[in-house]
Amino acid sequence: MKKNWFKLAFLICLPLAAGLVSCDDENGPDVPNPEPAPVSTAGAYIVNTGNWGANDGSLQWYDLVTQTVGDDLYKEQNGEGIGDLQDLCVYGSKLYAISNTSSKVSILERNGKLVKELPLNTGGQPMDPRYATAGEGCVFFTAYDGTVSRLDTLTQEITGKVEVGNHPEALAYADGKLFVNISGQPGDSYGGSGNQVAVVDAKTMTKLTDIEVLLNPYTQSLTGEDGYVYMVSNGNYAGSSTTPEDQWVYQTLQRIDPATYEVEELCHASYIANVGNKMYILYSEYYLPESRRCYVYDLATGTETDLPISIDSFSSPGFIAVDPVTEDIYIGDQSYSSLSTVYVFDKNGQPKDSFETGMYTTNIRFVTE
């Protein structure tokens, strides 16, 4: 759900052949061969989170061939709305829809038809699931009861759960492990004060360690094509008059080596999307309007190249996504209590298209062939 524009998720869950292998195999599934490079993009699922507490989230399909956006897939197939929709993981032949305030995971066919719904409670209280990632035949998701759960994609049952910390948010799968952003500290009612990434063994669902990162690791975490984990810490609202300048913590992209747990600070970032050695970045500190940028960070050289996309032209930019084939850039603009707009640019930042979507569009999940 939306809290402010630079705190919304863009988390990629790519469809993999491994989604057909049970994650509870005693010896573990074989590591799949690298997927062949995609040659075309069929379209993208659009995640509309909806207004907080209004249960007006929706799921749409954007057809890149016809360049049209369809109606709510879930409602068309199931005769009712999904409620809220926090995140979507596309894995194997299914979709895994994560609903936060509705406290459920919905397993869907690719056309949006409901296969199974998993209500999520701990001790009679809603778990409030947040974000998902996938690997080795399983979907893993965080929840505000302080846990990460493992969902087996063959049995469609939850087969493991582990406590990781207060307010776990976005997570990534790499090297057989989960790297989980922990936004809060023990005892805090709200997130924002944490500075840890929890590491979990995905097979045994045991917590291995915590990695110290910059303040408030939140909604951005992904595994790059180079195998490293990339995550964003949102800092402490740098520029706020209530915080002395020498204590400002800026929103920062960090890189974690999944083998050694070494952390490297790379550049300022609010939202990220990865293709090859390029990290596409939106950056803006709420209290520092002069910080607003859209640029490409070269992961190999550290070079920053600004794109001719003015963030000031958006009312409330909410995510950046990149087509893995064409490298077209998609930026969502969210308007309070009204439909969102997604703007499309080519890889050089030149405008190509725009289209209207649902309420509070926060994610796009591309489907390639």
Side-chain angles (χ1 to χ4, degrees):
M1 293 297 173
K2 176 164 178 165
K3 296 183 180 177
N4 46 59
W5 86 257
F6 53 87
K7 283 189 171 183
L8 292 171
F10 179 74
L11 174 70
I12 293 295
C13 280
L14 297 176
L16 300 172
L20 303 177
V21 180
S22 172
C23 61
D24 276 346
D25 187 296
E26 182 177 354
N27 298 316
D30 292 333
V31 177
N33 293 325
E35 290 290 301
V39 296
S40 65
T41 304
Y45 291 102
I46 298 171
V47 178
N48 302 308
T49 302
N51 290 296
W52 180 262
N55 282 320
D56 56 356
S58 61
L59 177 64
Q60 296 173 287
W61 173 254
Y62 175 56
D63 190 316
L64 266 72
V65 176
T66 63
Q67 294 187 325
T68 57
V69 179
D71 295 328
D72 184 354
L73 279 178
Y74 187 92
K75 190 171 185 178
E76 284 183 341
Q77 292 292 331
N78 303 292
E80 61 182 1
I82 194 170
D84 70 298
L85 183 60
Q86 179 69 30
D87 195 20
L88 181 76
C89 185
V90 183
Y91 190 63
S93 62
K94 299 291 189 294
L95 309 177
Y96 299 85
I98 312 299
S99 295
N100 181 209
T101 56
S102 301
S103 198
K104 64 182 179 179
V105 173
S106 303
I107 304 173
L108 314 175
E109 300 287 2
R110 289 293 188 101
N111 63 2
K113 181 68 175 178
L114 180 64
V115 176
K116 185 174 183 178
E117 188 171 274
L118 300 173
L120 300 173
N121 297 281
T122 299
Q125 297 298 314
M127 285 173 56
D128 296 332
R130 295 291 291 168
Y131 297 100
T133 192
E136 297 187 14
C138 289
V139 171
F140 305 89
F141 60 89
T142 58
Y144 272 171
D145 65 347
T147 66
V148 172
S149 296
R150 178 179 63 196
L151 172 61
D152 189 295
T153 59
L154 285 186
T155 65
Q156 298 180 352
E157 299 289 344
I158 294 175
T159 60
K161 184 177 178 180
V162 59
E163 293 187 3
V164 290
N166 187 9
H167 282 79
E169 298 285 3
L171 72 170
Y173 173 87
D175 195 27
K177 290 167 281 192
L178 303 170
F179 294 79
V180 187
N181 288 353
I182 306 298
S183 176
Q185 288 187 346
D188 287 353
S189 299
Y190 300 96
S193 60
N195 67 340
Q196 304 287 324
V197 169
V199 183
V200 172
D201 184 298
K203 183 176 180 181
T204 63
M205 290 300 286
T206 55
K207 183 176 175 180
L208 301 176
T209 189
D210 287 308
I211 303 171
E212 184 174 342
V213 295
L214 293 180
L215 182 67
N216 194 15
Y218 196 44
T219 65
Q220 301 287 273
S221 181
L222 59 86
T223 302
E225 293 186 21
D226 57 7
Y228 286 87
V229 173
Y230 293 88
M231 46 73 60
V232 173
S233 289
N234 279 8
N236 63 354
Y237 299 95
S240 170
S241 59
T242 61
T243 305
E245 185 173 352
D246 61 356
Q247 296 178 22
W248 291 352
V249 181
Y250 297 88
Q251 298 172 67
T252 304
L253 173 64
Q254 294 147 93
R255 173 166 55 197
I256 301 174
D257 186 322
T260 66
Y261 306 155
E262 180 182 358
V263 180
E264 180 182 2
E265 296 177 19
L266 299 181
C267 58
H268 294 315
S270 305
Y271 297 102
I272 57 175
N274 173 238
V275 177
N277 280 332
K278 297 178 181 178
M279 193 68 76
Y280 292 80
I281 292 173
L282 279 181
Y283 174 57
S284 177
E285 300 288 349
Y286 183 81
Y287 293 104
L288 299 173
E290 68 276 10
S291 69
R292 296 173 183 170
R293 298 174 63 195
C294 183
Y295 67 103
V296 178
Y297 181 89
D298 189 304
L299 296 172
T301 65
T303 303
E304 298 180 8
T305 304
D306 281 291
L307 294 168
I309 299 174
S310 174
I311 297 180
D312 291 329
S313 64
F314 297 88
S315 60
S316 184
F319 70 86
I320 185 169
V322 179
D323 185 321
V325 177
T326 65
E327 293 189 47
D328 284 348
I329 303 164
Y330 292 68
I331 297 177
D333 192 13
Q334 304 160 337
S335 299
Y336 181 73
S337 295
S338 62
L339 298 177
S340 299
T341 302
V342 175
Y343 293 90
V344 186
F345 305 84
D346 68 19
K347 63 182 180 181
N348 298 312
Q350 299 302 316
K352 291 184 63 176
D353 194 13
S354 66
F355 51 88
E356 191 175 71
T357 54
M359 301 294 289
Y360 279 103
T361 303
T362 57
N363 295 299
I364 284 183
R365 302 286 181 253
F366 293 102
V367 177
T368 57
E369 300 172 342

